[in-house]
Structure formats: C-alpha cells, structure tokens
Amino acid sequence: MLKVINVVGARPNFMKIAPIVAAMRERADEFAPLIVHTGQHYDAAMSDAFFADLNLPQPDVYLKVGSGSHAAQTAAIMQRFEPIVLAEKPDWVLVVGDVNSTLACALVAAKLHIKVAHVEAGLRSRDRTMPEEINRVLTDQLADLLLTPSSDADANLRAEGIPDERIRFVGNVMIDALFAQLERAKVSTVREDLGLAGKAYAVLTLHRPSNVDERATFKRILDALAEISRNLTLVFPVHPRTRARITEFGFAERVESLENLHLIEPLGYLDFLCLYSGAALVLTDSGGLQEETTALGIPCLTLRENTERPVTVSMGTNQIVGTNTDKIIYAARRVLDAPRRAVPSHAKLPPLWDGHAADRILDALVSDEKSMASASA
Ligand code: UD1
C-alpha cells in the first residue's frame, strides 16, 4: 500500500489532482491518498468552487498560507508542510504543475528523503522572468519521478541531464478531468445567464504578472480588446490579481466604457468549461487553457511571447501572438473572418491526451516502488 500526499495550492492544480485522487480511490488496495491544500488560492471562486465541480474530496489538511510575496508565500508553505510530512511519513509526495506550492512542497519532501513525483514535468518556456519557469526547473531537479505530458518535455529533461530512469511519458492528466466533466458541464446555464445563447462570442483570461503587472503591456492588450470587441462580445472572467491591477492602473473607466467587453467574476470549472467550449475564439495567457482549447478544437490566441506547451501550437489550435496591439487584432480577425471555424488542418489530439493519464501515473508510482524494492533486495 502506497501512502501518497497529493498537494494542491492554486487554481490550476485542482483539475490535475482530481483525476489522480479519483484513480487512487478506485485502486484502494494499492493506494492511500491524502490531500493537502496549501491555501495559496483561498477565495470561494478560486478554490472552493472546484472541489464540488471536480468531485474532489475535501482536503485532509489545509495549511491556510494565503497571499504574500514569492519568498513569504513559499516559506510559509514550507514551514507548514514540513510537520505534516513528518507526522504522516508518506511513501510519496505528489506535486503538480508549476505554482509556488509545487516547488515549496517538493523541496520539503526531498530534504526529508521522501520521494517526490512531479506531474506535468519537463515543460519549459525558457523564460526565467516567469516565476513558474523557476518553479518548473527546480521542481524537476528535486523530483524522483518526472511524469511528462508530451514528448517535448522528455527532451527538455534529458537536455538538462536528468536520467531516463526518472522520466515517464504519461500524457496530460488535465485532459482526464476535461473528458470526465464534459457531459456534466452541459447542464451549466452560464451561456444563457450571460445572454450569449445563440451568439458568437470570445472568451478572455489574463493573469500572468508579465501582462497584468506591467502597465504598458496591459494597455497594449486593452487597446486590442477595444478593437476586437467592436464586432464581437468578449467575456472576461477576471482573476483577482488582474482585478487589482485594473483599479491600480486607473483602467476601470476605460474597461467599463467598452460595451461588448463583459467583466465577470472567476467561474467554477464546469461553468468555465461550458463557456469556452462554445466560444468562437479564446484569448489567454493561461497555460492550462492553451491545452484545453487544443483538446476541444477551439481556436486559441496566446497573449505571450512564448509557451512552455509547444505541442498546442505544433499539433493543436494555439497561436502565440504576443502582446503587440496590431498583431493581436490581426490574428483575431484571421480566425473570425475565416469561412468556417479556423482550426488549423494539422490540429489533432496530441499523443496520450486520451483521458487515461491518471492510471498511467499510478502505474508509474507502483513500478518505481517495485524497481526500488528489487534494487535493494
Ligand atoms: C498563481 C500561479 C500561476 C497560476 C495561477 C492561476 C505561482 C507563482 N503562480 O498565480 O502559475 O497560473 O496561480 O490562477 O504560483 N488572490 C486572491 N484570491 C485568491 C488567490 C489570489 O484574491 O484566492 C490574489 C491575491 O491578492 C494575490 C494575487 O491574487 O496576491 C496573486 O495570487 P498568487 O497566488 O500570488 O499568484 P497568481 O497570480 O494567482
């Protein structure tokens, strides 16, 4: 029986941990899962809503760290996580993605000689100004088992000198959650509630510090949105970080004056899935949404200069357009003016984005355990 502490901290973690914990509960003779929530995200809209939507059991431990600078948040997670690991003595600590909680908990476990499994290992934007890139590189160095979503990730890890024995290509577990919840999302009334039924619309999300913490960049994006929204309804669920910057930068009046730009509160998983799955176009700087739009064949424009998920461009529906106003407008027009939905002809599901990644992750944990046992025998 493997005791596994599954760590969640911020919004993009919940949809990765939910299928893994569900699979562990189904294989209850092999796994004893615990869920530790660091509390990096704590709002009802950023956290609570996801537990019910994803059938994720309530956390066994809640560390309540809340917001803070990177150092303060990372340190608080480490201080509060260490006694839990000491008390529980798990066989594995499983972390997902690239948020501060991922790195903090991996570092605590590694120093206590508890094995670390990193789900979504190997992704690289090669942009170390992104806090997430630092978290990715360091977590991968610490982890004993690197579970990758795509073959580019395997290549990145090898190039950093990580031995093959630690790398397993398991596919994309976020797509497990997406496929598992597609039917349930159909009952959401979010489109009717927002007056979008039967209408063409685009969905926008923005929260990367490089976009929303820089006034000039945020303004260039807003200028593009103003133009695009002249002919198309844009629905914008606003991340708390972004909401704070709109006020701080004095953009509130401008944003409110744009008739077709609708700012709403962040949505839960099912409502958001229902919303973007019906969109003509998605504009985003989120990593997860680049993958989800590829899985569903929805055109996506990524408002960043790079992506750590190149497979969404080479095999999917994603285009990296940056933050230049004219380039965003041009790319949006090309998608919207195409006679049919402008899904590139090469677009298809990347390998192992098949809804079964969680089981492959569990198999990898079990087989790693067996190979360790036979090595020490
Ligand atoms: C974090 C992750 C990012 C992920 C994103 C998804 C890091 C470094 N970044 O960014 O990789 O894509 O989550 O949302 O871990 N806040 C609230 N309520 C909440 C959470 C945050 O009001 O529930 C506010 C706080 O003012 C906080 C700010 O949002 O200071 C930013 O939160 P933080 O956890 O620092 O990072 P995110 O920008 O959300």
Side-chain angles (χ1 to χ4, degrees):
M1 174 78 78
L2 293 178
K3 186 175 193 179
V4 184
I5 291 186
N6 298 280
V7 176
V8 290
R11 185 168 62 176
N13 296 157
F14 303 120
M15 51 294 267
K16 293 166 198 161
I17 286 291
I20 294 171
V21 169
M24 286 182 180
R25 290 184 140 204
E26 273 189 23
R27 291 168 60 169
D29 49 334
E30 295 172 277
F31 290 94
L34 288 172
I35 300 174
V36 173
H37 186 343
T38 65
Q40 176 175 349
H41 284 175
Y42 44 86
D43 281 358
M46 298 295 288
S47 173
D48 303 356
F50 289 82
F51 283 82
D53 277 5
L54 291 158
N55 292 326
L56 182 61
Q58 284 303 308
D60 299 282
V61 181
Y62 188 43
L63 303 179
K64 295 198 182 136
V65 296
S67 303
S69 69
H70 286 282
Q73 191 174 56
T74 307
I77 297 167
M78 289 181 69
Q79 282 182 329
R80 294 179 198 193
F81 187 58
E82 186 177 53
I84 309 299
V85 178
L86 287 169
E88 295 293 344
K89 299 186 182 60
D91 298 290
W92 288 92
V93 167
L94 183 144
V95 295
V96 296
D98 56 18
V99 303
N100 288 338
S101 303
T102 309
L103 173 61
C105 294
L107 185 50
V108 167
K111 290 212 170 170
L112 294 174
H113 308 145
I114 301 291
K115 286 191 293 179
V116 176
H118 183 206
V119 172
E120 204 184 86
L123 299 185
R124 296 289 182 270
S125 66
R126 298 187 172 76
D127 174 1
R128 292 223 180 169
T129 66
M130 290 178 78
E132 295 84 356
E133 183 75 354
I134 310 275
N135 293 340
R136 290 181 199 116
V137 170
L138 296 180
T139 305
D140 285 340
Q141 282 299 324
L142 296 169
D144 298 276
L145 193 54
L146 297 137
L147 301 148
T148 62
S150 46
S151 51
D152 56 282
D154 295 38
N156 291 335
L157 293 171
R158 285 194 199 105
E160 288 173 19
I162 294 182
D164 274 350
E165 306 83 77
R166 282 166 55 200
I167 306 171
R168 300 276 194 295
F169 173 34
V170 292
N172 191 336
V173 77
M174 218 179 57
I175 305 305
D176 291 21
L178 177 60
F179 290 168
Q181 305 303 340
L182 257 183
E183 273 308 303
R184 284 178 75 217
K186 286 188 183 147
V187 303
S188 161
T189 57
V190 69
R191 292 186 209 166
E192 290 76 14
D193 299 347
L194 295 171
L196 300 170
K199 266 173 102 174
Y201 62 91
V203 171
L204 164 74
T205 80
L206 278 181
H207 74 274
R208 289 254 108 73
S210 57
N211 281 341
V212 303
D213 291 359
E214 303 289 334
R215 193 178 195 280
T217 312
F218 201 168
K219 180 174 179 301
R220 286 201 303 276
I221 295 173
L222 264 186
D223 290 343
L225 300 176
E227 181 59 33
I228 296 166
S229 73
R230 280 155 54 105
N231 306 311
L232 183 72
T233 300
L234 276 178
V235 186
F236 183 11
V238 189
H239 188 286
R241 169 189 287 278
T242 310
R243 175 83 65 185
R245 297 299 172 266
I246 289 173
T247 311
E248 192 184 314
F249 294 151
F251 289 157
E253 211 176 308
R254 168 113 196 266
V255 162
E256 275 156 32
S257 73
L258 300 174
E259 215 177 300
N260 289 330
L261 177 68
H262 300 302
L263 273 63
I264 60 173
E265 289 304 308
L267 293 171
Y269 186 80
L270 295 175
D271 284 338
F272 189 58
L273 169 51
C274 177
L275 182 68
Y276 72 76
S277 64
L281 173 67
V282 167
L283 300 112
T284 192
D285 60 11
S286 147
L289 201 44
Q290 294 172 46
E291 299 183 337
E292 290 163 330
T293 47
T294 273
L296 295 182
I298 314 278
C300 176
L301 302 182
T302 293
L303 310 183
R304 286 171 47 189
E305 304 300 336
N306 52 50
T307 181
E308 60 288 335
R309 292 161 160 93
V311 72
T312 60
V313 177
S314 62
M315 300 190 76
T317 57
N318 189 18
Q319 287 180 60
I320 307 301
V321 297
T323 58
N324 174 288
T325 306
D326 293 338
K327 281 191 184 156
I328 300 171
I329 296 169
Y330 176 76
R333 284 216 181 106
R334 273 194 48 195
V335 171
L336 297 166
D337 292 349
R340 279 180 294 126
R341 224 193 216 184
V343 174
S345 54
H346 68 257
K348 58 176 183 238
L349 269 181
L352 302 191
W353 290 27
D354 58 359
H356 301 291
D359 258 319
R360 287 188 289 268
I361 290 168
L362 271 53
D363 291 343
L365 293 172
V366 171
S367 80
D368 191 83
E369 208 63 32
K370 282 188 186 145
S371 63
M372 294 285 285
S374 63
S376 63

